Amino acid sequence: MLSRLLHVPRQPLIFALFAGFVAGLAVGRLGTGRELIVPDATAPSKSLVTESLQSHGSASVGGYEIRPDTQPITIEQLRAEIAGAKSFPHARDFFRKHLNIIDRLRVSDTAKMVAEMAASQEKGSDPGWGLAMEVFAEKDPQAAWQFAHSMKPGIARQRAITAVVSSISQNDPARAMTMLDAIENPDHKRQMLSQAIRALAQKDPWGALELATARKDTEGNDNTVAELFSIWVKQDPEGAKSATARLTGRAADQASHALMRGLAESDPQAAWKYALTLPSSAKHLRATVINAWSQSDPQAALKAALEIPDSDMRPLVVSGAVREWARRDFSEALQYTIGVQDSSMRSDLFSEMSRNLSGNRQELFDAVLEHMPPGDHFQQTVKHIFSSWARENPSEAAAALALLPPSRLMAEAAPSVVFQWVQKGNKEEILSWVRRLPEGDARRNSLNSVFSQWSAQDPQKALAALNGLSAPDRASAISSLASGWSQVSPEAVIQWSATLTDADERKDAIQQAVLQWAGSAPEAAAQYTERLAENERGQAMEAVVEEWAVKDAEAAANWLSRQPAGPAKDLAITSILNQIAIENPESALSWAAMISNQKSRVHQMENLARDWIKQDAVAARHWISTSHLPPETRQRLAQ
């Protein structure tokens, strides 16, 4: 909160982490007794707070006293102190510095300070504004509230109001709740609401629940009720259970899941016994307990999950428990999975383990090959194994992959392995491995993966390697090489394409280059296509128009209208019809009328007219009745 109110850009992570806690300190030590109030649920670690405060000259967190030699702070000093605190490399120093700033503000005339700062704050950002307002609100909430509302409308006023509500919510959250409607920014309002509810939950959870459910702010995707019950269940589990039973709708869902998570975190076995007493419709709550239980004792959670009577829910929670178990002891979890008698359940568990980011991939791969039945589930699991395996050790994954027989599985898994391998390994070595793969999709897809990346990194070496390939391999790789190289320099690919003697290779290279070129310089790419031979121009024009129309449809259309009629122009027109039709179906039909091929022209116009009828039947049918479409086409459309 403090980081937002101070409005200090690009602050280090440590500043962001501690600023929120310091704001709590700034608004928490209320009253003449100087007592520090820090809610248990949001307090930082005791060792850091105690050590920092003791080094600052105080005996403990609960009895913090301002040192008698504390001096007031001026506005200039406040700004300088906040700016200087950002440079502290250690959290402890940062924390101590801000405690000193807060104490100095407490012995300063903050009412006078904020009045003097208001004029400059309304013109721009002042790093000390939010903190000064919070301390002012701590000392005199009513005066701070009136002052904030007396300011000119704008960002500064809203920040002042937010600061006051933030301060008051620490000591009087119920009162802060009544002030929330003055905060215009919905994000700020949700933050303050959540803060007030959490603060009130520490003292009066029933009151907090009443306020939370009475406000519309807690509806939708807001997690305020869930946060409230997360606090409540730790303080009074029975009271939280009783309150949950009285709720309905989304509030009941939030409360129930938070309740079950909290119970499972403190005593999972007792939480599970309680979950079993709930009606059968509460199966998702039982899953919540199992998932939370899996974090601390996955084997015990797994045993409980296997007892769930719901056949649809059981595999999900069992898989979750095994996944957590695999994170702790991969080999032990794998041996359990191998021993599962139900083949469908065993497949699900293998699938979960394949998504694990750690563990022995070779051991898992061997087990899957031996114990998992074939099918789509098997294919997907093996692909997951190789995907994560390639990130960890691509050369090892490649060696295992090469042992698979030629298949769809190999063809789908190979490119992902090669993709990871090319980023880390020797390109010549990888290409040599790829060329040893049997002919087919796996080899072709892997060649594409190698050359698309290699040419983007080092096009000259990729070109040299391309020249050493056999004719079939070269045909597979050349389009990918042009694609990768075009991301760096489409003009260079255009020049290189002129040296290619094979017409299909040249056409592929030009297509890839123009596609990339059109994204950065569509007009230049369009002019280039005008110089191409008719058999090369069609796909190139199509690529240019598709890219250009997204950025400037009018310019693309004007250029296209000047091109000579023929198959190339027909193809380009067809590529943009759907884009034009979204905003102007009649204009799209005019473009379709320029298609030189009669069969294609009538087909496109009929499809566009049908879509137009769905949008505006009256206008579309009027156009159809006066169009030059063939009579039989007009009759079909009329029906």
Side-chain angles (χ1 to χ4, degrees):
M1 171 50 58
L2 181 59
S3 62
R4 185 183 296 272
L5 297 176
L6 295 180
H7 194 60
V8 180
R10 298 185 181 88
Q11 54 210 18
L13 176 61
I14 195 65
F15 182 83
L17 291 173
F18 275 83
F21 174 63
V22 173
L25 295 180
V27 298
R29 294 183 349 226
L30 301 174
T32 57
R34 305 287 184 196
E35 185 175 86
L36 177 62
I37 302 172
V38 181
D40 293 342
T42 57
S45 63
K46 180 179 180 181
S47 59
L48 175 61
V49 175
T50 303
E51 184 175 350
S52 298
L53 294 178
Q54 285 176 344
S55 64
H56 185 61
S58 51
S60 66
V61 173
Y64 187 79
E65 296 289 341
I66 297 178
R67 295 189 335 188
D69 59 345
T70 300
Q71 298 295 315
I73 192 170
T74 66
I75 295 174
E76 291 73 18
Q77 290 171 340
L78 173 62
R79 293 167 180 161
E81 293 279 9
I82 290 174
K86 292 188 297 176
S87 63
F88 289 160
H90 300 296
R92 208 167 278 138
D93 295 332
F94 172 91
F95 183 76
R96 187 183 299 115
K97 183 71 173 179
H98 273 76
L99 284 176
N100 181 260
I101 294 173
I102 294 165
D103 281 347
R104 294 185 66 185
L105 278 169
R106 279 195 169 83
V107 297
S108 303
D109 188 347
T110 47
K112 181 179 179 182
M113 289 181 71
V114 297
E116 293 177 2
M117 295 171 72
S120 62
Q121 170 64 6
E122 288 175 358
K123 296 178 182 178
S125 173
D126 189 323
W129 171 252
L131 187 55
M133 277 300 308
E134 286 204 9
V135 176
F136 179 29
E138 169 197 321
K139 296 161 70 174
D140 192 340
Q142 189 61 34
W145 185 247
Q146 292 174 353
F147 173 79
H149 280 274
S150 71
M151 295 179 63
K152 296 178 182 178
I155 294 176
R157 181 176 183 269
Q158 277 301 304
R159 285 185 182 141
I161 290 173
T162 302
V164 175
V165 175
S166 175
S167 178
I168 292 174
S169 69
Q170 301 297 315
N171 193 54
D172 192 351
R175 181 182 178 189
M177 292 279 287
T178 66
M179 299 176 166
L180 287 173
D181 291 332
I183 300 176
E184 295 175 358
N185 185 299
D187 290 334
H188 290 176
K189 182 182 291 188
R190 280 193 293 270
Q191 290 170 7
M192 292 300 97
L193 172 64
S194 181
Q195 181 175 319
I197 292 293
R198 287 197 304 268
L200 185 57
Q202 302 289 335
K203 308 171 184 178
D204 180 11
W206 284 103
L209 177 61
E210 182 179 355
L211 289 172
T213 53
R215 293 189 61 94
K216 293 184 178 181
D217 312 62
T218 58
E219 295 178 353
N221 294 323
D222 189 83
N223 292 319
T224 302
V225 174
E227 293 174 353
L228 162 60
F229 274 85
S230 295
I231 295 171
W232 198 345
V233 70
K234 294 176 183 178
Q235 300 175 340
D236 180 12
E238 295 305 317
K241 289 179 185 178
S242 176
T244 302
R246 303 184 187 185
L247 297 175
T248 59
R250 179 171 175 78
D253 291 338
Q254 287 190 4
S256 298
H257 284 284
L259 172 70
M260 301 310 290
R261 278 195 302 271
L263 292 173
E265 288 170 1
S266 59
D267 189 343
Q269 291 187 346
W272 181 241
K273 289 181 180 179
Y274 173 67
L276 292 176
T277 67
L278 299 176
S280 57
S281 59
K283 57 185 179 181
H284 291 289
L285 296 181
R286 285 190 277 276
T288 297
V289 173
I290 296 297
N291 291 334
W293 195 356
S294 297
Q295 303 295 321
S296 58
D297 191 345
Q299 293 185 56
L302 175 62
K303 183 178 179 181
L306 291 169
E307 299 172 358
I308 291 181
D310 190 297
S311 58
D312 293 330
M313 180 62 65
R314 192 188 316 117
L316 297 177
V317 291
V318 167
S319 296
V322 169
R323 182 175 61 247
E324 292 300 326
W325 189 2
R327 289 176 181 171
R328 292 166 174 259
D329 192 328
F330 188 86
S331 294
E332 193 173 273
L334 179 58
Q335 291 305 310
Y336 170 84
T337 299
I338 292 171
V340 172
Q341 296 300 309
D342 186 309
S343 61
S344 177
M345 177 73 77
R346 186 168 65 247
S347 294
D348 288 339
L349 299 184
F350 275 133
S351 179
E352 284 297 331
M353 296 194 70
S354 72
R355 294 180 174 87
N356 204 356
L357 298 179
S358 62
N360 189 316
R361 296 291 132 188
Q362 184 69 61
E363 185 181 7
L364 176 60
F365 180 51
D366 292 342
V368 166
L369 290 179
E370 183 177 355
H371 299 287
M372 190 171 181
D376 290 340
H377 209 26
F378 170 82
Q379 301 269 344
Q380 196 66 31
T381 298
V382 172
K383 283 195 292 184
H384 282 149
I385 291 173
F386 278 105
S387 178
S388 58
W389 199 349
R391 287 194 295 270
E392 298 165 7
N393 192 329
S395 60
E396 186 180 276
L401 181 66
L403 300 177
L404 288 176
S407 60
R408 179 169 65 92
L409 174 59
M410 184 185 222
E412 293 177 352
S416 65
V417 171
V418 172
F419 178 83
Q420 297 291 338
W421 198 5
V422 169
Q423 297 181 40
K424 303 174 183 179
N426 180 280
K427 311 298 188 296
E428 288 82 0
E429 177 187 351
I430 298 168
L431 181 58
S432 176
W433 177 85
V434 171
R435 295 176 68 181
R436 291 195 298 271
L437 291 174
E439 290 187 7
D441 290 341
R443 180 166 167 174
R444 183 167 48 253
N445 295 344
S446 297
L447 282 168
N448 293 342
S449 185
V450 170
F451 279 95
S452 63
Q453 293 183 80
W454 197 358
S455 60
Q457 299 168 7
D458 193 339
Q460 296 308 315
K461 285 190 176 181
L463 280 173
L466 179 70
N467 293 331
L469 296 179
S470 64
D473 285 349
R474 178 185 172 91
S476 298
I478 199 162
S479 180
S480 298
L481 182 147
S483 176
W485 191 4
S486 295
Q487 295 175 27
V488 180
S489 177
E491 296 91 336
V493 177
I494 292 291
Q495 294 176 0
W496 167 69
S497 67
T499 68
L500 299 173
T501 56
D502 184 277
D504 290 335
E505 289 184 355
R506 184 170 61 253
K507 188 176 179 180
D508 283 345
I510 290 172
Q511 172 76 2
Q512 294 298 333
V514 168
L515 185 62
Q516 293 293 334
W517 200 2
S520 57
E523 191 169 359
Q527 291 174 358
Y528 168 75
T529 65
E530 295 174 4
R531 304 195 299 270
L532 294 173
E534 180 67 27
N535 66 333
E536 297 174 340
R537 189 186 306 150
Q539 289 183 333
M541 285 180 65
E542 179 186 20
V544 168
V545 170
E546 283 184 348
E547 288 291 325
W548 199 355
V550 172
K551 297 181 178 180
D552 190 341
E554 184 177 356
N558 288 338
W559 173 79
L560 186 56
S561 67
R562 297 193 299 269
Q563 304 311 305
K569 183 175 182 178
D570 289 353
L571 187 60
I573 290 174
T574 302
S575 72
I576 63 169
L577 287 179
N578 288 334
Q579 295 184 50
I580 300 173
I582 293 173
E583 296 184 359
N584 193 333
E586 189 170 3
S587 176
L589 282 160
S590 298
W591 275 99
M594 290 190 286
I595 296 175
S596 59
N597 182 283
Q598 182 181 5
K599 184 177 180 180
S600 177
R601 179 176 64 251
V602 173
H603 175 72
Q604 292 293 340
M605 293 179 74
E606 182 173 358
N607 286 341
L608 289 169
R610 289 189 187 281
D611 290 340
W612 192 7
I613 290 173
K614 297 175 184 177
Q615 299 177 34
D616 187 343
V618 175
R621 295 190 187 283
H622 174 73
W623 180 90
I624 292 167
S625 66
T626 59
S627 72
H628 297 291
L629 287 171
E632 61 273 17
T633 304
R634 291 202 302 270
Q635 185 177 0
R636 282 199 303 271
L637 290 170
Q639 294 174 353

